[in-house]
Amino acid sequence: MTIESASKSLVEEFRSRTTLRAGSLITTVFGDSIAPRGGTVWLGSLITAMQEFGVNERLVRTSVFRLAQDGWLQSKQIGRRSYYSLTDEGRERFEQATQKIYGEPASAWDGEWTTVLMTRVDPTTKDLVRKELGWLGFGALSPNVLAHPAPDMAGLDLALVRLGLADDLVVMTGKTVRNEPGMRALVQDSWNLADLDQRYASFVERFRPLIKAHGKDANVSPKSAFLIRTLLIQEYRKVLLRDPQLPAELLPSDWHGTAAYQLCRNLYQAVYSAADDYLTATMESADGALPPPGTPFMRRFGGLK
């Protein structure tokens, strides 16, 4: 199997799904391709790119309209053309997700936990806190206690401010001093690691043929590289954003998340440059072709070559 035929099979499988979540895919394209290259794109060129995935013009227009209503995107009209970019809130969300998706897994843990105590908030607000901090990987140790062993503290501070609860939630740190097996059992109860592990295993199974094909034949067209790169991040993102990214000491010994990260990193390294060629040729901003990606982009997955 060549990389081109493997790409075709990947896209055909995606197109055959009974439900195409166009908004989710457009979100991936913005985060992976548009945001690091100026952040603004002409709707017409986005429509052209999305057609490659089997998403028609009507569905693209409907999806970007909903993303704008939900506060992710904003539009600007220049003549007869509409240009879309991330809102400030959308950019903040993307920056959090970017760090999680493209960052390297934590290599060490000092055994410390961060806990958030919700005893001073009402039940409805607790649900909002669980949802918001769930984005950051916090799990519920009890009805009033959320915890994470290695959280993004800057992200936590932003979340508390966004919730308007910076003065109502108590944040504490501490260490497990005894009964470590009991703590591992508590981790299994607080985060659904078995389901997450199976999702990672499915991701590896789906994309392993592409990395094998690239190893035999590295000649990939810009369009195929863009399709592979987008679907790679789309599928990886769907699993990773569920992942609390716990330290290795708290994970099962045969954790598939490790293999998933390595595969995603290697395949992204293999196709990102050719995919950027497609973006340069196809995507437009109000000033013409998208500007080249900056230094932060080149730091993805530990450094692109």
Side-chain angles (χ1 to χ4, degrees), residues 142-163:
S142 75
N144 289 318
V145 180
L146 301 178
H148 195 286
D152 172 7
M153 293 304 294
L156 175 60
D157 290 340
L158 283 173
L160 298 185
V161 170
R162 187 159 49 235
L163 288 165

Side-chain angles (χ1 to χ4, degrees), residues 182-241:
M183 177 56 76
R184 290 193 180 90
L186 186 59
V187 166
Q188 295 292 329
D189 293 338
S190 301
W191 289 275
N192 192 351
L193 297 184
D195 175 72
L196 194 59
D197 188 62
Q198 181 55 52
R199 291 175 185 270
Y200 274 130
S202 298
F203 170 83
V204 171
E205 183 179 357
R206 178 174 295 157
F207 286 93
R208 183 180 286 132
L210 286 108
I211 199 68
K212 286 185 175 180
H214 187 271
K216 297 176 182 178
D217 176 16
N219 295 315
V220 58
S221 69
K223 183 175 81 170
S224 293
F226 168 72
L227 296 174
I228 293 170
R229 178 175 137 182
T230 301
L231 291 179
L232 175 73
I233 296 302
Q234 167 76 356
E235 298 303 313
Y236 188 59
R237 178 177 70 91
K238 283 164 54 179
V239 185
L240 190 74
L241 294 185

Side-chain angles (χ1 to χ4, degrees), residues 4 21 23 41-42 67 97 106 117-118 126 132 151 168 181 183 186 203 212 219-220 261 283:
E4 289 293 326
R21 295 187 59 197
V41 67
W42 171 43
L67 287 169
L117 309 184
M118 301 189 293
K126 286 178 184 178
E132 187 73 19
D168 297 306
M183 177 56 76
L186 186 59
F203 170 83
K212 286 185 175 180
N219 295 315
V220 58
Y261 170 79
M283 298 286 194

